Amino acid sequence: MSAGQHKPSVTALAPGRPRWRLNYRARKSALTGLDTLLLSERDKIKSVIGHNWWQALLLTVGRLGFDFGCLLAALRATGTHPRHALVLLAYAAANVIELVPVTPGGLGLVEASLGGLLVLAGVHSSDALLATLAYRLASYWIPLGAGPPAYLLYRHRYGRWAHRSRH
């Protein structure tokens, strides 16, 4: 472009105020004070855990270890014996993919990615699919079924509006 010409702005291309600017301003105002909110939440977690941080670490490592063991048991049940390091890599990658907020609990994404990654780890495709579905059944669907009874027991024990009194 020459010195006399200028780039057209978004406002010149679309009449009225562009929608992205309004959304940006709304998001910007929603993020005001985020730093202090994050610091206060961090301090709250630190005060709850306190000197028992090692218990929280032990429980987290134990949960992940048992979850990985569930995947290894599902693979063993299909008769395959892949290298544990490759299965751990597939498990870790599937857990990262589970964090992507596209579907609740990574439903569908985890199954597809873990199945494919297990195939790359040397598991036959039918065994990888069967082991993935058995693992997800044991680690996701069966515990999900415990939710409604736990909710009803909570409501029975603490009453209908117990959650409002904490705020």
Side-chain angles (χ1 to χ4, degrees), residues 88-157:
L88 180 62
L89 186 61
Y91 171 78
N95 278 334
V96 170
I97 291 170
E98 185 178 9
L99 297 175
V100 177
V102 177
T103 60
L107 189 61
L109 294 175
V110 173
E111 288 83 0
S113 62
L114 184 59
L117 290 168
L118 287 175
V119 169
L120 289 176
V123 179
H124 191 267
S125 60
S126 60
D127 292 336
L129 177 65
L130 182 61
T132 299
L133 293 178
Y135 160 70
R136 285 295 278 180
L137 178 70
S139 68
Y140 184 77
W141 287 105
I142 292 175
L144 191 66
Y151 173 72
L152 291 174
L153 287 172
Y154 174 82
R155 291 277 302 265
H156 177 71
R157 182 173 182 179

Side-chain angles (χ1 to χ4, degrees), residues 34-163:
L34 182 63
D35 54 346
T36 56
L37 177 67
L38 289 174
L39 289 174
S40 69
E41 291 296 319
R42 180 207 58 188
D43 293 340
K44 195 181 300 183
I45 291 170
K46 189 177 176 183
S47 70
V48 168
I49 292 176
H51 297 297
N52 297 327
W53 61 268
W54 60 272
Q55 288 178 340
L57 179 66
L58 183 66
L59 289 171
T60 301
V61 170
R63 185 194 66 80
L64 290 171
F66 281 117
D67 196 41
F68 178 64
C70 181
L71 176 60
L72 287 177
L75 284 167
R76 184 64 57 110
T78 62
T80 60
H81 302 284
R83 291 179 41 199
H84 290 208
L86 293 177
V87 175
L88 180 62
L89 186 61
Y91 171 78
N95 278 334
V96 170
I97 291 170
E98 185 178 9
L99 297 175
V100 177
V102 177
T103 60
L107 189 61
L109 294 175
V110 173
E111 288 83 0
S113 62
L114 184 59
L117 290 168
L118 287 175
V119 169
L120 289 176
V123 179
H124 191 267
S125 60
S126 60
D127 292 336
L129 177 65
L130 182 61
T132 299
L133 293 178
Y135 160 70
R136 285 295 278 180
L137 178 70
S139 68
Y140 184 77
W141 287 105
I142 292 175
L144 191 66
Y151 173 72
L152 291 174
L153 287 172
Y154 174 82
R155 291 277 302 265
H156 177 71
R157 182 173 182 179
Y158 296 109
R160 183 178 175 122
W161 303 107
H163 66 279

